[in-house]
């Protein structure tokens, strides 16, 4: 581990998490991206323009994900009542059901981490992650 950089540890850990979620999601004909999208669509509808930043996705990737979700009957679109130029995304009954499954999956992983690490270790990890993000967003590195 001495020869690994902090960013390589973060990257390999995230890749392992993504693989784990994708393996679990594939049992239900889904993907991690689809599950995260379900978790970020509000019951009252979510403007499509608000989803990409929430998910950290590029608009083209989001468009593909939303198209897949619509084809699977998980979402539907309606004109945004506050801005007729945009659309809001809503969950169908099936989408709500799959959202519950996605939430259960995420919480199971979270519970295992809480069971494995002390609260102090978790707090330190969260604090470090937030500081790393702040450094990146503030352009203090490059």
């Amino acid at each position: 581990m001495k020869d690994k950089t902090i960013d390589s540890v973060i990257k390999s850990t995230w890749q392992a998490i993504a693989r784990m979620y994708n393996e679990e999601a594939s049992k239900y004909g889904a993907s991690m991206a689809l599950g995260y999208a379900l978790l970020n669509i509000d019951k009252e509808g979510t403007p499509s323009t608000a989803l990409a930043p929430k998910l950290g996705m590029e608009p083209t990737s989001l468009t593909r994900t939303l198209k897949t979700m619509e084809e699977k009957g998980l979402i539907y679109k309606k004109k945004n009542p506050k801005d007729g130029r945009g659309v809001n995304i809503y969950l169908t009954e099936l989408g709500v059901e799959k959202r519950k499954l996605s939430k259960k999956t995420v919480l199971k992983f979270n519970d295992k981490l809480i069971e494995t690490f002390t609260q102090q270790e978790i707090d330190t990890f969260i604090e470090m992650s937030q500081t790393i993000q702040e450094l990146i967003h503030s352009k203090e590195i490059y």
Side-chain angles (χ1 to χ4, degrees):
M1 289 291 279
K2 282 190 265 181
D3 62 337
K4 288 196 173 210
T5 60
I6 294 168
D7 69 314
S8 71
V9 173
I10 293 169
K11 183 180 180 197
S12 64
T13 301
W14 176 246
Q15 287 174 332
I17 292 169
R19 246 188 331 274
M20 174 191 70
Y21 278 143
N22 276 319
E23 284 176 20
E24 187 63 23
S26 71
K27 296 175 186 174
Y28 305 97
S31 68
M32 182 185 77
L34 197 141
Y36 271 121
L38 288 169
L39 291 171
N40 283 282
I41 297 172
D42 298 327
K43 291 181 175 103
E44 308 81 41
T46 300
S48 59
T49 54
L51 273 176
K54 277 182 163 182
L55 299 171
M57 285 178 132
E58 293 298 320
T60 52
S61 297
L62 178 62
T63 300
R64 279 194 305 271
T65 300
L66 292 177
K67 184 176 188 237
T68 299
M69 293 173 76
E70 204 168 13
E71 289 169 354
K72 290 180 177 276
L74 301 171
I75 61 166
Y76 64 95
K77 300 174 186 177
K78 281 176 41 177
K79 273 194 173 208
N80 185 332
K82 296 177 184 171
D83 178 4
R85 298 170 295 171
V87 296
N88 282 355
I89 309 296
Y90 298 87
L91 297 174
T92 63
E93 283 187 40
L94 179 62
V96 171
E97 184 182 312
K98 298 296 182 182
R99 183 182 201 273
K100 288 177 186 173
L101 183 61
S102 295
K103 185 176 180 179
K104 182 179 165 190
T105 302
V106 169
L107 290 177
K108 183 176 181 180
F109 178 54
N110 194 64
D111 289 344
K112 185 62 178 179
L113 295 178
I114 289 170
E115 175 188 309
T116 304
F117 298 102
T118 66
Q119 189 60 51
Q120 183 178 357
E121 289 172 316
I122 292 168
D123 292 345
T124 300
F125 174 77
I126 290 170
E127 186 179 318
M128 286 181 65
S129 297
Q130 289 171 338
T131 302
I132 291 168
Q133 289 181 49
E134 288 168 14
L135 286 169
I136 292 167
H137 293 305
S138 69
K139 308 277 188 199
E140 288 186 37
I141 302 168
Y142 302 112

